[in-house]
Amino acid sequence: MRRRILTLTAALALLVTGCTAGNDAPEDGVVRLRFQSLAWQKESVDANRQLVEEWNATHPDVQIDYVQGSWDSVHDQLLTSFEGGEAPDIIHDASDDLADFAYGGDLADLRPLLPERLRADIPARSWETTTFGEGIYGVPFLQEPRVIIANRKILESSGVRLPTPEEPWTWTEFRQITQDLTRTMGPGRYAVAWPLKEPVSVSLNLGLSAGGRLFHREADGRVTIRFTEADAVVPGTIHDQVVTDRTAPRTTLGSGGSDTLPGFFAGKYAMVPLGFAYRQQIAQQAPKGFEWTVLPAPAGDAGLTQGVSPQTLSIAEDSPHKKEAAAFLDFFLRPENMVRLARGDWMLPTGTTALADPSLHTARDGWATGAAVAERLRPAPAQSVRGYPEWKDKVATPAFQEYYSGAIDGAELRRRLVTDGNRVLARYQRK
C-alpha cells in the first residue's frame, strides 16, 4: 500500500509506541513484529501466548510481541491504525471484516508469501473467504459452525427424533418439533430460545441451508440484493416460532448467547442455537448432573450447508518485514499447532490435516458433530461485498430485529433489505 502521510502528532506517536514503520532498521539486528491477537477465552489466550513463546525461543533474530486486541472494537481500531500508520504487522480478524481493508490496500497480498504446504492444506472453499479480486488477504484458520445445544433429558423424555448429521431435521420438521416440545414443557417454558443480538450473520449463514443467497454478483462484478423464497425460509421459521407459535420467547431476541445459558440450565428452554465455541461455557458452567448434547442445525434444500466467516491472520501492507511475518504464520499454523488453537477456542480448524485429528472427532462435548458439519461450511454470503458493514449496521440489523419481534411483516423486511440495502451497496460500487 502507498505510505500514508503522517501528521506530526502521529509521527511522534510512532516514536513512542515503536510501530511497524519504525522496524525498517532495527538497531540491535533483531526484527520485532507485533502480533495483535483477538483470543479472549483463557484456554485460547494461553495457546496463542505459548506458541509465541515457542517461536521466540527458537528465533532470536525475529521476535514476536504479543498484543491483546478485542473483537468488540477491532474494525474501528484497525481503521484508525491503518490511517495513522500504526497497524500491527500480523493481524487477527474475521474474514467478513477484511473486504474494505483488502480493497483499500491496507493488507498484503499473501500469494507470494505463503508456503505451498499451507496453501495446499486449507481447502479452496476456505480460501474463498479471504480472496478479494485476484489477491489473498488473510489465512482462514479457525471456523465455527452453528449448532443446536439441547437439554438431553427434555428431548429424550418427549420422544422426539434426535437429529444427526446423517439425518438432520428439516426446517419444517424443526418448527413442528418446537411446537410439540413446548406443549409438553408447560407454561413459561419454551422449546427454543433464539439469542439474536447479532441477527444478520445468523439469518444469512443458516439461510444457505435453504438455498438462500441474498447477495448476487452480476456479470459486471457489481453486487445486488435479491430476497427470494429460499432467503425467507430461515427468517420465516424464526419469526413464526416467536410470533405465531409462541415456541420461542421474544425476551431473548436482543440477547447474546451467554445471556440465554442461565435459562437453559434451569430448563426454561430446551434448545438454544449457538456458535460451536459456546460449548466451552456450557461445559464449565452447567450445574452438576445437567445433561446436554450437540445437534446439527436444521437442513434445507442445500442440506447442512451453512455460511461461515473464519477467523483469519493477515499481514499489514505497511509492514517492512512481510517475509518474516509469513514465516511466523507458517509456524503458527502447522497442523499440530492449528489443533492446539482450535481446542483452545473450542472451534474447528480449516486445515484438512488438523481437522482429521482424532481429538476433534470424539463424541464428548459434541466435537464429532461439529467435525461432520465442517465439510458443509461455505463462505458467508456477504464475504466479499463492499459496504457490508454499513448495510448490516444501518439496514439489516434493525430490519431483522423488528421482523423477528413481530413489529414488521415479511414484505417490509424484504423492502428494507432490498431497496434500502441496494442504495447502500451502490455507493460502494460507483465507478
PDB file of all heavy atoms in Angstrom, residues 151-177:
ATOM      1  N   ASN A 151     -31.026 -29.691  25.810  1.00  0.00           N
ATOM      2  CA  ASN A 151     -31.185 -30.379  27.078  1.00  0.00           C
ATOM      3  C   ASN A 151     -31.573 -31.823  26.765  1.00  0.00           C
ATOM      4  O   ASN A 151     -32.681 -32.103  26.302  1.00  0.00           O
ATOM      5  CB  ASN A 151     -32.284 -29.695  27.907  1.00  0.00           C
ATOM      6  CG  ASN A 151     -32.448 -30.285  29.285  1.00  0.00           C
ATOM      7  OD1 ASN A 151     -32.515 -31.501  29.448  1.00  0.00           O
ATOM      8  ND2 ASN A 151     -32.564 -29.421  30.290  1.00  0.00           N
ATOM      9  N   ARG A 152     -30.638 -32.730  26.990  1.00  0.00           N
ATOM     10  CA  ARG A 152     -30.846 -34.118  26.576  1.00  0.00           C
ATOM     11  C   ARG A 152     -32.080 -34.742  27.253  1.00  0.00           C
ATOM     12  O   ARG A 152     -32.879 -35.434  26.611  1.00  0.00           O
ATOM     13  CB  ARG A 152     -29.609 -34.956  26.888  1.00  0.00           C
ATOM     14  CG  ARG A 152     -29.766 -36.426  26.491  1.00  0.00           C
ATOM     15  CD  ARG A 152     -28.564 -37.238  26.904  1.00  0.00           C
ATOM     16  NE  ARG A 152     -27.398 -36.895  26.118  1.00  0.00           N
ATOM     17  CZ  ARG A 152     -27.140 -37.424  24.916  1.00  0.00           C
ATOM     18  NH1 ARG A 152     -27.973 -38.301  24.387  1.00  0.00           N
ATOM     19  NH2 ARG A 152     -26.054 -37.088  24.261  1.00  0.00           N
ATOM     20  N   LYS A 153     -32.256 -34.490  28.543  1.00  0.00           N
ATOM     21  CA  LYS A 153     -33.363 -35.108  29.272  1.00  0.00           C
ATOM     22  C   LYS A 153     -34.709 -34.673  28.725  1.00  0.00           C
ATOM     23  O   LYS A 153     -35.623 -35.485  28.567  1.00  0.00           O
ATOM     24  CB  LYS A 153     -33.254 -34.790  30.760  1.00  0.00           C
ATOM     25  CG  LYS A 153     -32.133 -35.534  31.481  1.00  0.00           C
ATOM     26  CD  LYS A 153     -32.165 -35.245  32.974  1.00  0.00           C
ATOM     27  CE  LYS A 153     -31.083 -36.025  33.709  1.00  0.00           C
ATOM     28  NZ  LYS A 153     -31.085 -35.748  35.170  1.00  0.00           N
ATOM     29  N   ILE A 154     -34.856 -33.379  28.427  1.00  0.00           N
ATOM     30  CA  ILE A 154     -36.134 -32.885  27.922  1.00  0.00           C
ATOM     31  C   ILE A 154     -36.447 -33.506  26.565  1.00  0.00           C
ATOM     32  O   ILE A 154     -37.566 -33.962  26.311  1.00  0.00           O
ATOM     33  CB  ILE A 154     -36.126 -31.345  27.827  1.00  0.00           C
ATOM     34  CG1 ILE A 154     -36.080 -30.726  29.228  1.00  0.00           C
ATOM     35  CG2 ILE A 154     -37.353 -30.849  27.077  1.00  0.00           C
ATOM     36  CD1 ILE A 154     -36.020 -29.214  29.235  1.00  0.00           C
ATOM     37  N   LEU A 155     -35.461 -33.550  25.688  1.00  0.00           N
ATOM     38  CA  LEU A 155     -35.715 -34.085  24.358  1.00  0.00           C
ATOM     39  C   LEU A 155     -36.004 -35.588  24.401  1.00  0.00           C
ATOM     40  O   LEU A 155     -36.941 -36.069  23.752  1.00  0.00           O
ATOM     41  CB  LEU A 155     -34.531 -33.795  23.426  1.00  0.00           C
ATOM     42  CG  LEU A 155     -34.702 -32.541  22.542  1.00  0.00           C
ATOM     43  CD1 LEU A 155     -34.771 -31.295  23.423  1.00  0.00           C
ATOM     44  CD2 LEU A 155     -33.580 -32.417  21.541  1.00  0.00           C
ATOM     45  N   GLU A 156     -35.219 -36.333  25.168  1.00  0.00           N
ATOM     46  CA  GLU A 156     -35.422 -37.775  25.206  1.00  0.00           C
ATOM     47  C   GLU A 156     -36.751 -38.136  25.867  1.00  0.00           C
ATOM     48  O   GLU A 156     -37.421 -39.077  25.444  1.00  0.00           O
ATOM     49  CB  GLU A 156     -34.250 -38.436  25.925  1.00  0.00           C
ATOM     50  CG  GLU A 156     -32.953 -38.405  25.114  1.00  0.00           C
ATOM     51  CD  GLU A 156     -31.820 -39.122  25.814  1.00  0.00           C
ATOM     52  OE1 GLU A 156     -31.944 -39.406  27.031  1.00  0.00           O
ATOM     53  OE2 GLU A 156     -30.789 -39.389  25.151  1.00  0.00           O
ATOM     54  N   SER A 157     -37.146 -37.398  26.906  1.00  0.00           N
ATOM     55  CA  SER A 157     -38.415 -37.705  27.581  1.00  0.00           C
ATOM     56  C   SER A 157     -39.616 -37.361  26.713  1.00  0.00           C
ATOM     57  O   SER A 157     -40.704 -37.922  26.891  1.00  0.00           O
ATOM     58  CB  SER A 157     -38.509 -36.948  28.910  1.00  0.00           C
ATOM     59  OG  SER A 157     -38.553 -35.543  28.681  1.00  0.00           O
ATOM     60  N   SER A 158     -39.433 -36.445  25.762  1.00  0.00           N
ATOM     61  CA  SER A 158     -40.550 -36.053  24.895  1.00  0.00           C
ATOM     62  C   SER A 158     -40.799 -37.060  23.786  1.00  0.00           C
ATOM     63  O   SER A 158     -41.874 -37.075  23.176  1.00  0.00           O
ATOM     64  CB  SER A 158     -40.258 -34.694  24.253  1.00  0.00           C
ATOM     65  OG  SER A 158     -39.235 -34.809  23.274  1.00  0.00           O
ATOM     66  N   GLY A 159     -39.797 -37.871  23.493  1.00  0.00           N
ATOM     67  CA  GLY A 159     -39.949 -38.867  22.443  1.00  0.00           C
ATOM     68  C   GLY A 159     -39.684 -38.360  21.038  1.00  0.00           C
ATOM     69  O   GLY A 159     -39.871 -39.103  20.063  1.00  0.00           O
ATOM     70  N   VAL A 160     -39.231 -37.096  20.875  1.00  0.00           N
ATOM     71  CA  VAL A 160     -38.964 -36.579  19.535  1.00  0.00           C
ATOM     72  C   VAL A 160     -37.710 -37.244  18.961  1.00  0.00           C
ATOM     73  O   VAL A 160     -36.840 -37.710  19.697  1.00  0.00           O
ATOM     74  CB  VAL A 160     -38.761 -35.047  19.545  1.00  0.00           C
ATOM     75  CG1 VAL A 160     -39.990 -34.362  20.114  1.00  0.00           C
ATOM     76  CG2 VAL A 160     -37.516 -34.650  20.306  1.00  0.00           C
ATOM     77  N   ARG A 161     -37.650 -37.297  17.657  1.00  0.00           N
ATOM     78  CA  ARG A 161     -36.482 -37.862  16.995  1.00  0.00           C
ATOM     79  C   ARG A 161     -35.294 -36.925  17.138  1.00  0.00           C
ATOM     80  O   ARG A 161     -35.403 -35.729  16.841  1.00  0.00           O
ATOM     81  CB  ARG A 161     -36.777 -38.084  15.511  1.00  0.00           C
ATOM     82  CG  ARG A 161     -35.602 -38.670  14.728  1.00  0.00           C
ATOM     83  CD  ARG A 161     -35.937 -38.818  13.259  1.00  0.00           C
ATOM     84  NE  ARG A 161     -35.944 -37.560  12.533  1.00  0.00           N
ATOM     85  CZ  ARG A 161     -34.847 -36.985  12.026  1.00  0.00           C
ATOM     86  NH1 ARG A 161     -33.660 -37.534  12.209  1.00  0.00           N
ATOM     87  NH2 ARG A 161     -34.955 -35.855  11.348  1.00  0.00           N
ATOM     88  N   LEU A 162     -34.169 -37.441  17.601  1.00  0.00           N
ATOM     89  CA  LEU A 162     -32.969 -36.627  17.710  1.00  0.00           C
ATOM     90  C   LEU A 162     -32.238 -36.621  16.370  1.00  0.00           C
ATOM     91  O   LEU A 162     -31.968 -37.689  15.799  1.00  0.00           O
ATOM     92  CB  LEU A 162     -32.043 -37.148  18.811  1.00  0.00           C
ATOM     93  CG  LEU A 162     -32.584 -37.096  20.237  1.00  0.00           C
ATOM     94  CD1 LEU A 162     -31.515 -37.543  21.233  1.00  0.00           C
ATOM     95  CD2 LEU A 162     -33.062 -35.694  20.584  1.00  0.00           C
ATOM     96  N   PRO A 163     -31.916 -35.459  15.844  1.00  0.00           N
ATOM     97  CA  PRO A 163     -31.263 -35.400  14.533  1.00  0.00           C
ATOM     98  C   PRO A 163     -29.776 -35.750  14.621  1.00  0.00           C
ATOM     99  O   PRO A 163     -29.150 -35.617  15.677  1.00  0.00           O
ATOM    100  CB  PRO A 163     -31.447 -33.931  14.144  1.00  0.00           C
ATOM    101  CG  PRO A 163     -31.407 -33.205  15.457  1.00  0.00           C
ATOM    102  CD  PRO A 163     -32.117 -34.125  16.434  1.00  0.00           C
ATOM    103  N   THR A 164     -29.236 -36.205  13.536  1.00  0.00           N
ATOM    104  CA  THR A 164     -27.807 -36.471  13.394  1.00  0.00           C
ATOM    105  C   THR A 164     -27.336 -35.779  12.120  1.00  0.00           C
ATOM    106  O   THR A 164     -28.146 -35.385  11.278  1.00  0.00           O
ATOM    107  CB  THR A 164     -27.527 -37.969  13.279  1.00  0.00           C
ATOM    108  OG1 THR A 164     -28.117 -38.464  12.047  1.00  0.00           O
ATOM    109  CG2 THR A 164     -28.119 -38.735  14.465  1.00  0.00           C
ATOM    110  N   PRO A 165     -26.022 -35.630  11.926  1.00  0.00           N
ATOM    111  CA  PRO A 165     -25.546 -35.045  10.665  1.00  0.00           C
ATOM    112  C   PRO A 165     -26.001 -35.851   9.448  1.00  0.00           C
ATOM    113  O   PRO A 165     -26.193 -35.288   8.371  1.00  0.00           O
ATOM    114  CB  PRO A 165     -24.020 -35.077  10.824  1.00  0.00           C
ATOM    115  CG  PRO A 165     -23.807 -34.989  12.303  1.00  0.00           C
ATOM    116  CD  PRO A 165     -24.922 -35.803  12.897  1.00  0.00           C
ATOM    117  N   GLU A 166     -26.188 -37.166   9.621  1.00  0.00           N
ATOM    118  CA  GLU A 166     -26.641 -38.003   8.511  1.00  0.00           C
ATOM    119  C   GLU A 166     -28.141 -37.857   8.264  1.00  0.00           C
ATOM    120  O   GLU A 166     -28.601 -37.941   7.122  1.00  0.00           O
ATOM    121  CB  GLU A 166     -26.317 -39.472   8.796  1.00  0.00           C
ATOM    122  CG  GLU A 166     -24.827 -39.803   8.873  1.00  0.00           C
ATOM    123  CD  GLU A 166     -24.186 -39.293  10.156  1.00  0.00           C
ATOM    124  OE1 GLU A 166     -24.896 -39.185  11.195  1.00  0.00           O
ATOM    125  OE2 GLU A 166     -22.968 -38.992  10.119  1.00  0.00           O
ATOM    126  N   GLU A 167     -28.904 -37.616   9.342  1.00  0.00           N
ATOM    127  CA  GLU A 167     -30.350 -37.443   9.233  1.00  0.00           C
ATOM    128  C   GLU A 167     -30.795 -36.238  10.066  1.00  0.00           C
ATOM    129  O   GLU A 167     -31.383 -36.386  11.131  1.00  0.00           O
ATOM    130  CB  GLU A 167     -31.082 -38.701   9.701  1.00  0.00           C
ATOM    131  CG  GLU A 167     -30.822 -39.926   8.833  1.00  0.00           C
ATOM    132  CD  GLU A 167     -31.683 -41.107   9.259  1.00  0.00           C
ATOM    133  OE1 GLU A 167     -32.922 -40.928   9.354  1.00  0.00           O
ATOM    134  OE2 GLU A 167     -31.124 -42.171   9.530  1.00  0.00           O
ATOM    135  N   PRO A 168     -30.511 -35.046   9.582  1.00  0.00           N
ATOM    136  CA  PRO A 168     -30.874 -33.843  10.344  1.00  0.00           C
ATOM    137  C   PRO A 168     -32.369 -33.547  10.253  1.00  0.00           C
ATOM    138  O   PRO A 168     -33.084 -34.132   9.427  1.00  0.00           O
ATOM    139  CB  PRO A 168     -30.068 -32.743   9.644  1.00  0.00           C
ATOM    140  CG  PRO A 168     -29.953 -33.227   8.223  1.00  0.00           C
ATOM    141  CD  PRO A 168     -29.831 -34.723   8.318  1.00  0.00           C
ATOM    142  N   TRP A 169     -32.837 -32.651  11.097  1.00  0.00           N
ATOM    143  CA  TRP A 169     -34.187 -32.124  10.950  1.00  0.00           C
ATOM    144  C   TRP A 169     -34.245 -31.230   9.721  1.00  0.00           C
ATOM    145  O   TRP A 169     -33.269 -30.553   9.383  1.00  0.00           O
ATOM    146  CB  TRP A 169     -34.579 -31.281  12.160  1.00  0.00           C
ATOM    147  CG  TRP A 169     -34.813 -32.035  13.424  1.00  0.00           C
ATOM    148  CD1 TRP A 169     -35.289 -33.302  13.561  1.00  0.00           C
ATOM    149  CD2 TRP A 169     -34.606 -31.534  14.766  1.00  0.00           C
ATOM    150  NE1 TRP A 169     -35.398 -33.631  14.896  1.00  0.00           N
ATOM    151  CE2 TRP A 169     -34.988 -32.564  15.655  1.00  0.00           C
ATOM    152  CE3 TRP A 169     -34.150 -30.334  15.282  1.00  0.00           C
ATOM    153  CZ2 TRP A 169     -34.909 -32.426  17.034  1.00  0.00           C
ATOM    154  CZ3 TRP A 169     -34.068 -30.173  16.661  1.00  0.00           C
ATOM    155  CH2 TRP A 169     -34.441 -31.217  17.530  1.00  0.00           C
ATOM    156  N   THR A 170     -35.380 -31.176   9.072  1.00  0.00           N
ATOM    157  CA  THR A 170     -35.630 -30.126   8.090  1.00  0.00           C
ATOM    158  C   THR A 170     -36.122 -28.897   8.854  1.00  0.00           C
ATOM    159  O   THR A 170     -36.487 -28.992  10.036  1.00  0.00           O
ATOM    160  CB  THR A 170     -36.703 -30.548   7.072  1.00  0.00           C
ATOM    161  OG1 THR A 170     -37.958 -30.717   7.778  1.00  0.00           O
ATOM    162  CG2 THR A 170     -36.321 -31.853   6.384  1.00  0.00           C
ATOM    163  N   TRP A 171     -36.153 -27.751   8.190  1.00  0.00           N
ATOM    164  CA  TRP A 171     -36.649 -26.546   8.870  1.00  0.00           C
ATOM    165  C   TRP A 171     -38.138 -26.696   9.211  1.00  0.00           C
ATOM    166  O   TRP A 171     -38.582 -26.233  10.263  1.00  0.00           O
ATOM    167  CB  TRP A 171     -36.407 -25.313   8.010  1.00  0.00           C
ATOM    168  CG  TRP A 171     -34.971 -24.890   8.061  1.00  0.00           C
ATOM    169  CD1 TRP A 171     -34.014 -25.135   7.133  1.00  0.00           C
ATOM    170  CD2 TRP A 171     -34.331 -24.195   9.141  1.00  0.00           C
ATOM    171  NE1 TRP A 171     -32.794 -24.622   7.558  1.00  0.00           N
ATOM    172  CE2 TRP A 171     -32.967 -24.038   8.782  1.00  0.00           C
ATOM    173  CE3 TRP A 171     -34.768 -23.693  10.359  1.00  0.00           C
ATOM    174  CZ2 TRP A 171     -32.045 -23.397   9.613  1.00  0.00           C
ATOM    175  CZ3 TRP A 171     -33.853 -23.048  11.192  1.00  0.00           C
ATOM    176  CH2 TRP A 171     -32.514 -22.903  10.818  1.00  0.00           C
ATOM    177  N   THR A 172     -38.891 -27.364   8.346  1.00  0.00           N
ATOM    178  CA  THR A 172     -40.305 -27.604   8.633  1.00  0.00           C
ATOM    179  C   THR A 172     -40.467 -28.529   9.828  1.00  0.00           C
ATOM    180  O   THR A 172     -41.298 -28.295  10.721  1.00  0.00           O
ATOM    181  CB  THR A 172     -40.999 -28.216   7.399  1.00  0.00           C
ATOM    182  OG1 THR A 172     -40.892 -27.311   6.297  1.00  0.00           O
ATOM    183  CG2 THR A 172     -42.467 -28.492   7.689  1.00  0.00           C
ATOM    184  N   GLU A 173     -39.655 -29.579   9.864  1.00  0.00           N
ATOM    185  CA  GLU A 173     -39.703 -30.514  10.978  1.00  0.00           C
ATOM    186  C   GLU A 173     -39.286 -29.842  12.277  1.00  0.00           C
ATOM    187  O   GLU A 173     -39.869 -30.084  13.348  1.00  0.00           O
ATOM    188  CB  GLU A 173     -38.789 -31.706  10.679  1.00  0.00           C
ATOM    189  CG  GLU A 173     -38.869 -32.844  11.693  1.00  0.00           C
ATOM    190  CD  GLU A 173     -37.957 -34.000  11.327  1.00  0.00           C
ATOM    191  OE1 GLU A 173     -37.143 -33.859  10.381  1.00  0.00           O
ATOM    192  OE2 GLU A 173     -38.038 -35.050  11.999  1.00  0.00           O
ATOM    193  N   PHE A 174     -38.280 -28.989  12.191  1.00  0.00           N
ATOM    194  CA  PHE A 174     -37.807 -28.270  13.373  1.00  0.00           C
ATOM    195  C   PHE A 174     -38.929 -27.420  13.972  1.00  0.00           C
ATOM    196  O   PHE A 174     -39.135 -27.402  15.192  1.00  0.00           O
ATOM    197  CB  PHE A 174     -36.615 -27.395  12.985  1.00  0.00           C
ATOM    198  CG  PHE A 174     -36.063 -26.545  14.098  1.00  0.00           C
ATOM    199  CD1 PHE A 174     -35.710 -27.097  15.317  1.00  0.00           C
ATOM    200  CD2 PHE A 174     -35.870 -25.176  13.913  1.00  0.00           C
ATOM    201  CE1 PHE A 174     -35.182 -26.308  16.344  1.00  0.00           C
ATOM    202  CE2 PHE A 174     -35.338 -24.384  14.921  1.00  0.00           C
ATOM    203  CZ  PHE A 174     -34.999 -24.951  16.140  1.00  0.00           C
ATOM    204  N   ARG A 175     -39.680 -26.738  13.099  1.00  0.00           N
ATOM    205  CA  ARG A 175     -40.783 -25.917  13.612  1.00  0.00           C
ATOM    206  C   ARG A 175     -41.837 -26.784  14.292  1.00  0.00           C
ATOM    207  O   ARG A 175     -42.349 -26.435  15.363  1.00  0.00           O
ATOM    208  CB  ARG A 175     -41.413 -25.113  12.476  1.00  0.00           C
ATOM    209  CG  ARG A 175     -42.533 -24.199  12.969  1.00  0.00           C
ATOM    210  CD  ARG A 175     -43.207 -23.449  11.844  1.00  0.00           C
ATOM    211  NE  ARG A 175     -44.345 -22.700  12.349  1.00  0.00           N
ATOM    212  CZ  ARG A 175     -45.253 -22.109  11.581  1.00  0.00           C
ATOM    213  NH1 ARG A 175     -45.156 -22.163  10.257  1.00  0.00           N
ATOM    214  NH2 ARG A 175     -46.277 -21.460  12.137  1.00  0.00           N
ATOM    215  N   GLN A 176     -42.161 -27.925  13.682  1.00  0.00           N
ATOM    216  CA  GLN A 176     -43.167 -28.810  14.264  1.00  0.00           C
ATOM    217  C   GLN A 176     -42.697 -29.372  15.600  1.00  0.00           C
ATOM    218  O   GLN A 176     -43.476 -29.462  16.565  1.00  0.00           O
ATOM    219  CB  GLN A 176     -43.484 -29.955  13.298  1.00  0.00           C
ATOM    220  CG  GLN A 176     -44.552 -30.910  13.806  1.00  0.00           C
ATOM    221  CD  GLN A 176     -45.883 -30.216  14.040  1.00  0.00           C
ATOM    222  OE1 GLN A 176     -46.427 -29.571  13.140  1.00  0.00           O
ATOM    223  NE2 GLN A 176     -46.429 -30.322  15.258  1.00  0.00           N
ATOM    224  N   ILE A 177     -41.442 -29.731  15.681  1.00  0.00           N
ATOM    225  CA  ILE A 177     -40.901 -30.295  16.924  1.00  0.00           C
ATOM    226  C   ILE A 177     -40.927 -29.263  18.042  1.00  0.00           C
ATOM    227  O   ILE A 177     -41.221 -29.592  19.201  1.00  0.00           O
ATOM    228  CB  ILE A 177     -39.474 -30.836  16.685  1.00  0.00           C
ATOM    229  CG1 ILE A 177     -39.563 -32.187  15.966  1.00  0.00           C
ATOM    230  CG2 ILE A 177     -38.691 -30.967  17.984  1.00  0.00           C
ATOM    231  CD1 ILE A 177     -38.257 -32.736  15.495  1.00  0.00           C
TER     232      ILE A 177
END
